């Protein structure tokens, strides 16, 4: 681990969160690169905290997709190959299509209002070119659909499979233009309105995912989107 974090003043009630923030900041600033191993004892010594706080912070970052814990081995900053991304996208198309189909059957006015609110949050972040906030709201949008689908096993499977993709994408510091971000906002909005109208929301989500996938492949690996 070739960097040094600032020592952390101990504030017991928020210690885990502060440690998590510092590690995440190191990842997003490329002080920690995808694939780097994180040694808990060394990190705890650098920060001047106990290993318990570091371990709890790493569990939190794993839930956010930023690190991958290998049982009985080590913790690494999440790294995805082209093949990893392709496999995740294949699973995502099937499972998220099902999630939105289930939600369409049971969506309430409150559910629709919540999704519209998140879309507007994305629009605001796009307008300010705040890429990190945009993708945090983007993930919130999709996680909300998974949870509102009513199938907790489906939501868990999507969380495990797709969240690391969002985190890896944020780590790679995408340089989306405002117009690209707003295009994404419009696709999210179309999905919400299809759910609200009960108008084949699954097909709408599948079309949206195709758009998202082409943009992701282009920004992560330089693979140009296919022309319409």
């Amino acid at each position: 681990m070739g960097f040094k974090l600032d020592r952390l003043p101990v504030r017991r009630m928020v210690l885990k969160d502060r440690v998590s923030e510092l590690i995440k900041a190191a990842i997003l600033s490329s002080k920690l690169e995808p694939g780097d191993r994180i040694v808990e004892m060394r990190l705890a010594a650098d920060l001047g905290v106990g290993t318990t706080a570091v371990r709890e912070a790493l569990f939190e970052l794993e839930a956010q997709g930023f690190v991958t814990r290998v049982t009985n081995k080590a913790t690494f900053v999440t790294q995805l190959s082209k093949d990893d991304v392709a496999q995740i996208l294949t699973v995502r198309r099937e499972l998220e299509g099902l999630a939105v189909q289930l939600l369409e059957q049971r969506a309430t006015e409150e559910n629709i209002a919540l999704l519209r609110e998140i879309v507007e949050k994305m629009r605001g972040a796009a307008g300010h070119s705040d890429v990190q906030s945009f993708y945090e709201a983007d993930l919130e949008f999709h996680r909300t659909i998974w949870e509102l689908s009513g199938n907790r096993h489906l939501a868990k499977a999507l969380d495990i499979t797709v969240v690391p993709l969002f985190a890896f994408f944020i780590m790679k510091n995408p340089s989306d233009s405002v117009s690209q971000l707003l295009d994404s906002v419009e696709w999210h909005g179309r999905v919400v309105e299809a759910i609200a109208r009960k108008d084949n929301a699954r097909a709408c989500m599948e079309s949206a995912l195709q758009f998202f996938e082409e943009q992701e492949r282009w920004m992560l690996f330089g693979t140009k989107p296919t022309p319409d």
Side-chain angles (χ1 to χ4, degrees):
M1 190 165 57
F3 75 101
K4 189 93 168 172
L5 291 177
D6 296 332
R7 284 182 70 86
L8 183 69
V10 177
R11 293 180 58 195
R12 201 61 203 163
M13 61 185 295
V14 294
L15 187 55
K16 177 209 39 136
D17 293 335
R18 288 291 294 124
V19 172
S20 177
E21 287 173 9
L22 286 173
I23 300 172
K24 184 175 178 180
I27 292 171
L28 294 177
S29 65
S30 299
K31 290 180 179 178
L32 277 171
E33 296 278 357
D36 282 354
R37 181 179 179 179
I38 298 175
V39 181
E40 292 181 8
M41 291 183 65
R42 187 182 306 167
L43 187 57
D46 286 346
L47 294 173
V49 299
T51 55
T52 299
V54 171
R55 191 171 300 115
E56 290 175 349
L58 291 175
F59 277 122
E60 177 68 23
L61 290 171
E62 182 182 29
Q64 296 175 24
F66 285 97
V67 303
T68 302
R69 298 173 64 89
V70 181
T71 305
N72 298 324
K73 289 189 178 180
T75 301
F76 301 88
V77 179
T78 296
Q79 182 174 31
L80 300 175
S81 67
K82 271 188 178 182
D83 187 57
D84 290 328
V85 171
Q87 291 191 31
I88 289 170
L89 293 177
T90 297
V91 173
R92 182 184 184 187
R93 279 193 295 271
E94 296 299 322
L95 295 188
E96 193 152 24
L98 176 58
V100 81
Q101 180 181 329
L102 293 174
L103 175 55
E104 181 181 50
Q105 297 167 5
R106 67 198 303 272
T108 65
E109 291 183 6
E110 290 77 12
N111 297 157
I112 299 301
L114 175 58
L115 289 169
R116 286 173 176 156
E117 181 181 323
I118 299 171
V119 170
E120 289 310 306
K121 189 188 300 186
M122 293 173 66
R123 194 185 308 279
H128 289 92
S129 298
D130 186 346
V131 175
Q132 185 172 339
S133 293
F134 178 90
Y135 283 106
E136 287 173 354
D138 190 356
L139 177 57
E140 180 186 0
F141 177 90
H142 291 278
R143 266 183 157 160
T144 299
I145 286 178
W146 308 342
E147 291 166 5
L148 293 178
S149 74
N151 188 313
R152 64 181 182 278
H153 301 287
L154 178 60
K156 182 178 180 180
L158 279 161
D159 214 55
I160 292 170
T161 305
V162 178
V163 170
L165 178 61
F166 274 88
F168 185 65
F169 196 66
I170 294 171
M171 276 188 264
K172 299 299 285 187
N173 297 314
S175 54
D176 305 43
S177 66
V178 171
S179 63
Q180 287 173 316
L181 293 176
L182 289 173
D183 284 344
S184 181
V185 171
E186 293 309 311
W187 274 109
H188 285 80
R190 289 173 200 170
V191 170
V192 176
E193 298 315 313
I195 296 170
R197 296 192 307 270
K198 300 189 182 301
D199 182 21
N200 199 358
R202 179 165 190 157
C204 186
M205 174 61 87
E206 288 171 352
S207 296
L209 289 175
Q210 181 64 34
F211 171 82
F212 303 151
E213 289 169 14
E214 290 181 352
Q215 295 299 315
E216 287 163 4
R217 286 194 179 100
W218 175 51
M219 283 182 277
L220 287 174
F221 306 114
T223 306
K224 291 184 178 180
T226 57
D228 295 332

